[in-house]
Each structure stands twice: as C-alpha cells, then as structure tokens.
C-alpha cells in the first residue's frame, strides 16, 4: 500500500540532490594552443600532418598499435576495420544487439550479415555461451562491444575465436581506458576501434581511430578509409572500393589535446563510478541489481547501468526514472530503446532503398523478425543508467545514491 504522504520530489517534496554542479568545460587552453599552431600550417590534410602525427603518438601511449587510421567517426573506424577483413559477401559477423548503430553500419555496407548474440544479464556484454550457439559455417568474425566501459569476457571470446578461426574486432567507443585483467581493451582483437564523438570520454566533436598490430591488415589499413588511394607508394589507382573517412587536421588538433587529458578524465570517471557503486553496494537496496564488474578489471564508467527487478516495485521503470529526475539525478531509462535488431531498418530489411540485395541474391536467409535475445530485451526494459562524468563531484555522487535509495524505498513493494 502506498504511504499516505510522500516526500518524493516528484510529488512536491525536497530534492535529494542539492549540491550545485560546478562549472566544467571540456575544451580550453590545450585545444586552443593546438588549433592556433595549426592555422600556421600550410596544409590541413591528414597525411603526415603534424596534428595527426601528434594524435597517433598520444594514442599509442595507451594503445601501442603500429598501424592506425584516424578517421571521421567511430562508425567510420568500425567500417574500416570490417572492410580490412575482406570477407566474402554473406559472411556473418556476430555482435551485441545492445550497442550503437555505428557497430553494424559497416557490416551491412560491406554486404555482410550482422548476427546478434545475447548478452550477460549483469555485465551487459556478449555472453560467450550464446555467441557459441550463433556460430554457423558462414561465421567469420566477432565484433566485441565493451559496453559502458565494462570490459567483455575476452578469455572466453578469444577462445571461441581461436576454435572457429574467427577475426575479432573490438568496439571500444565506450571504453577508453578500460582494462581486462590489467591490459587495455583494444589490445586483444585483430582490430580496435574508438570514437571521439561529442558524448565519449574524449571528443573532438566527431572523430574516430582504428588500429591494428596484425601485419595482414596494418599495411593497407589507411586505404580502407581513404578512397583506396595509396599514400605510401603514391598515385591513384584504387584496386577496390573504399569511402573517404579521413580525419582532418582541425579534428586531430582537438583530439590530441583531449588525449593528453585522458588520464585525468579517466581518473575522474573511475573514481566517481567506483564511489557510486560503493554506496549502492552498501545500501543493498532490494530490487536494485548492480552491474557485475570483475575485480581484476578496470571499468572506465562511461556511464553506470543498473537494473530494477520489476516485481519488487509498484511502479514501472519509467516512473522510477522520472522520480530520479525530479530528485535532481540525470538518470535515463535503459540505454537504447530496444535491441538493435528491433529497429525498423532490421525489421523491414530496409538496408538499400527498401531492399536487401544480399538476401535477394540468395547469400543469406537471415530474417531479423525472428531474432530473439531475451536477456538484452529484458535488460533494456528494466535498466536505469546514471551519468558519470568529470562534471560531477563527490557530493553529487553521494546525493545520487541518496536519491536512488529514497526512490527505491518509496516504490518498494
Ligand atoms: C558511439 C559509438 C559508436 C559510434 O561512434 P560515432 O563516433 O558516433 O560514429 C559505435 N559503437 C559504440 C558502442 C558507440 O558507443
């Protein structure tokens, strides 16, 4: 029975979060200095550009990958990575249905078939057991998405890849600075992809980078994002099709300045995320299920995603989130509204002007209307995401935990 009176901010009570957000600006002197130096350059072209070179140098401090291509977005990085594998049309790439569209766009453009495997209920990353189930004679690669900054189960996924001779692409867009068993994610697969979009740990507005230490893909990596022109030998005589996904010097100038700040930015994300989960563990609120993080790993807390057990609360998830909002917490419902395969383009197989030439040509029998990943579906229906960012303070984090406790206790059955 609901209490007769409620002190929820949603019902007019006082807010749990009273701390003021300090002023925080992501761009400043470091970015300006780079941009100022850049305008004196004779060229803003990426190839051998000093900003691009500096970006590669800074990136390689954490990700010592000999071959890298800075590019226009994380989506572009992933498309370049998929292209570099040179898989025959109709080949299958297993990935997570809980991800950004950017993960699957390149797969589809390369005339490959995204195959969605279910996720672990509490790490929200690919469940190796289900990945194994989705393997067919056409499977050629796994695209591993490290969601929210939590490293995927790389030992299990790499074992499957070895067993079936599959390539591994790591989508690290949300996991700058995350580490699996002490080693940075991005250093496990054949190719690693990162994003510099507005919302990621580090940003230049839009940008991305793809890297590899595999000699099969490294020497030609840049071609896959540069019209397949050969910048090393020179000349324009492309032997295959590639888009122009080049990053320009202005983007690189901002991106390198951001990367020099990455250690401090990560330290803030990790400190605040760890603090919030520490509070929530101590509170042990019935019905609030916290993410599983292996103590040997480093979660880089792009955000904090937890789940509600629907049967333990007398309100729907969205009302719970609205109540958190009213308390002053910038919470959001789940992550994406539904698994990627539920989007209209997949449900209607509307990839190329209402058609899917790959299927029309008999190279796949995939029907996304029949795909089911029940764990992903339930997680997205009962998940709540809490923001973590260097713009927050310890006090805001402490009050965020208070707000969660207040709302959970009010709606508890
Ligand atoms: C952001 C993101 C991308 C795409 O990056 P863009 O730079 O926006 O193209 C891809 N995958 C994941 C998991 C992401 O979070």
């Amino acid at each position: 029975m609901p209490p007769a009176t409620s002190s929820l901010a949603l019902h007019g009570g006082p807010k749990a979060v009273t701390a003021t957000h300090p002023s925080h600006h992501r761009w400043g002197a470091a970015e300006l200095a780079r941009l100022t130096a850049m305008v004196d350059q004779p060229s803003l072209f990426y190839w051998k550009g000093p900003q691009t070179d500096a970006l590669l140098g800074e990136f390689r401090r954490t990700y010592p990958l000999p071959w890298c291509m800075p590019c226009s977005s994380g989506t572009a990085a992933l498309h370049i990575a998929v292209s570099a594998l040179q898989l025959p049309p109709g080949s299958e790439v297993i990935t997570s249905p809980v991800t950004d569209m950017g993960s699957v766009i390149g797969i589809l453009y390369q005339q490959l078939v995204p195959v969605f495997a279910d996720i672990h209920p509490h790490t929200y990353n690919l469940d190796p057991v289900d990945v194994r189930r989705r393997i067919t004679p056409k499977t050629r690669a796994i695209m591993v998405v490290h969601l929210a900054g939590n490293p995927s189960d790389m030992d299990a996924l790499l074992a499957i890849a070895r067993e079936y001779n599959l390539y591994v692409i790591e989508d690290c867009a949300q996991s700058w600075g995350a580490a699996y068993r002490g080693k940075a994610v991005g250093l496990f697969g054949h190719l690693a992809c990162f994003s510099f979009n507005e919302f990621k740990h580090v940003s230049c507005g839009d940008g991305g980078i793809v890297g590899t230490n595999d000699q099969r893909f490294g020497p030609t990596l840049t071609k896959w994002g540069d019209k397949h022109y050969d910048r090393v030998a020179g000349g324009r005589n492309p032997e295959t099709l590639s888009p122009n996904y080049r990053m320009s010097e202005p983007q690189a100038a901002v991106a390198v300045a951001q990367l020099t700040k990455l250690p401090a930015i990560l330290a803030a994300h990790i400190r605040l995320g760890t603090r919030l989960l520490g509070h929530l563990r101590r509170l042990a609120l019935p019905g609030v299920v916290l993410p599983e993080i292996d103590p040997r790993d480093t979660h880089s807390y792009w955000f904090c995603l937890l789940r509600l057990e629907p049967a333990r609360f007398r309100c729907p998830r969205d009302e719970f989130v609205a109540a958190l909002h009213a308390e002053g917490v910038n919470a959001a419902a789940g992550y994406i509204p539904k698994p990627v395969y539920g989007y209209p383009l997949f449900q209607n197989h509307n990839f190329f002007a209402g058609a899917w030439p790959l299927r029309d040509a008999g190279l796949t029998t995939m029907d996304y209307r029949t795909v089911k990943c029940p764990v992903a579906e339930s997680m997205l229906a009962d998940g709540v995401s809490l923001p973590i960012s260097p713009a927050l303070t310890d006090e805001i984090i402490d009050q965020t935990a208070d707000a969660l406790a207040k709302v959970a206790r009010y709606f508890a059955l």
Side-chain angles (χ1 to χ4, degrees):
M1 223 184 36
T5 59
S6 159
S7 65
L8 285 188
L10 187 67
H11 303 152
K15 285 184 171 201
V17 181
T18 54
T20 49
H21 285 64
S23 76
H24 176 81
H25 200 68
R26 299 172 69 190
W27 300 281
E31 287 76 9
L32 191 58
R34 286 253 159 222
L35 288 165
T36 305
M38 184 205 73
V39 292
D40 285 332
Q41 294 172 200
S43 163
L44 301 184
F45 192 58
Y46 86 108
W47 191 257
K48 308 256 182 244
Q51 305 306 324
T52 304
D53 273 353
L55 171 59
L56 293 175
E58 201 58 45
F59 178 75
R60 288 189 178 118
R61 287 157 64 100
T62 312
Y63 305 98
L65 299 168
W67 295 283
C68 298
M69 172 66 169
C71 50
S72 52
S73 68
T75 305
L78 288 155
H79 190 177
I80 291 168
V82 170
S83 304
L85 300 179
Q86 299 201 66
L87 302 175
S91 301
E92 295 176 357
V93 180
I94 297 179
T95 192
S96 169
V98 180
T99 188
D100 183 83
M101 268 304 291
S103 304
V104 293
I105 286 169
I107 300 174
L108 289 163
Y109 270 110
Q110 289 313 113
Q111 309 304 329
L112 307 172
V113 182
V115 171
F116 296 101
D118 214 341
I119 58 167
H120 183 281
H122 303 296
T123 67
Y124 324 128
N125 286 323
L126 276 176
D127 172 7
V129 175
D130 201 56
V131 168
R132 199 177 274 279
R133 267 189 226 121
R134 312 261 176 170
I135 287 174
T136 76
K138 287 184 169 176
T139 309
R140 292 289 173 273
I142 306 174
M143 183 183 285
V144 178
V145 180
H146 305 289
L147 200 79
N150 199 15
S152 300
D153 184 353
M154 291 315 294
D155 282 343
L157 293 169
L158 290 174
I160 296 170
R162 272 192 298 273
E163 186 177 335
Y164 291 93
N165 200 20
L166 308 176
Y167 296 120
V168 174
I169 295 174
E170 288 184 82
D171 180 344
C172 306
Q174 302 187 5
S175 55
W176 284 101
Y180 176 79
R181 312 292 190 261
K183 178 170 152 184
V185 301
L187 301 180
F188 290 89
H190 296 92
L191 293 128
C193 302
F194 295 81
S195 167
F196 290 105
N197 93 12
E198 171 74 12
F199 310 99
K200 302 294 155 66
H201 288 86
V202 278
S203 172
C204 62
D206 265 309
I209 190 163
V210 47
T212 181
N213 53 16
D214 192 310
Q215 345 217 12
R216 286 170 297 176
F217 311 120
T220 58
L221 190 67
T222 61
K223 286 188 175 187
W224 297 103
D226 193 1
K227 308 182 192 175
H228 231 82
Y229 289 171
D230 191 337
R231 302 276 166 206
V232 181
R236 304 174 181 191
N237 197 20
E239 65 269 26
T240 189
L241 183 67
S242 298
N244 173 3
Y245 283 150
R246 298 183 305 240
M247 180 182 271
S248 68
E249 284 279 279
Q251 286 167 291
V254 176
V256 65
Q258 286 277 292
L259 278 192
T260 57
K261 299 179 188 173
L262 182 60
I265 293 169
L266 280 172
H269 277 267
I270 293 168
R271 183 175 57 80
L272 295 167
T274 308
R275 186 178 181 96
L276 178 60
L277 277 184
H279 288 322
L280 297 179
R281 278 195 199 101
R282 276 188 297 278
L283 284 163
L285 301 164
V288 175
V289 188
L290 304 180
E292 242 173 59
I293 301 159
D294 191 291
R296 293 165 292 181
D297 296 345
T298 305
H299 189 314
S300 65
Y301 293 101
W302 186 48
F303 62 98
C304 179
L305 188 53
L306 47 80
R307 299 183 64 175
L308 303 179
E309 287 178 68
R312 310 286 288 264
F313 298 103
R314 57 190 169 82
C315 72
R317 184 265 313 259
D318 290 3
E319 191 180 346
F320 194 102
V321 170
L324 283 174
H325 250 272
E327 297 297 337
V329 178
N330 206 5
Y335 160 52
I336 49 175
K338 51 178 110 163
V340 166
Y341 58 77
Y343 292 163
L345 88 160
F346 280 101
Q347 289 297 299
N348 301 322
H349 303 93
N350 178 14
F351 302 125
F352 300 96
W356 196 12
L358 195 65
R359 202 166 64 164
D360 299 342
L363 290 168
T364 182
T365 55
M366 173 61 80
D367 182 347
Y368 290 106
R369 290 169 306 183
T370 65
V371 172
K372 285 269 166 292
C373 295
V375 180
E377 290 175 25
S378 62
M379 188 282 280
L380 292 171
D382 63 31
V384 174
S385 63
L386 303 169
I388 302 288
S389 109
L392 305 179
T393 59
D394 286 1
E395 196 183 8
I396 296 174
I397 289 292
D398 299 352
Q399 294 181 343
T400 297
D402 295 344
L404 206 82
K406 181 179 168 187
V407 170
R409 283 172 187 145
Y410 176 77
F411 286 120
L413 276 173

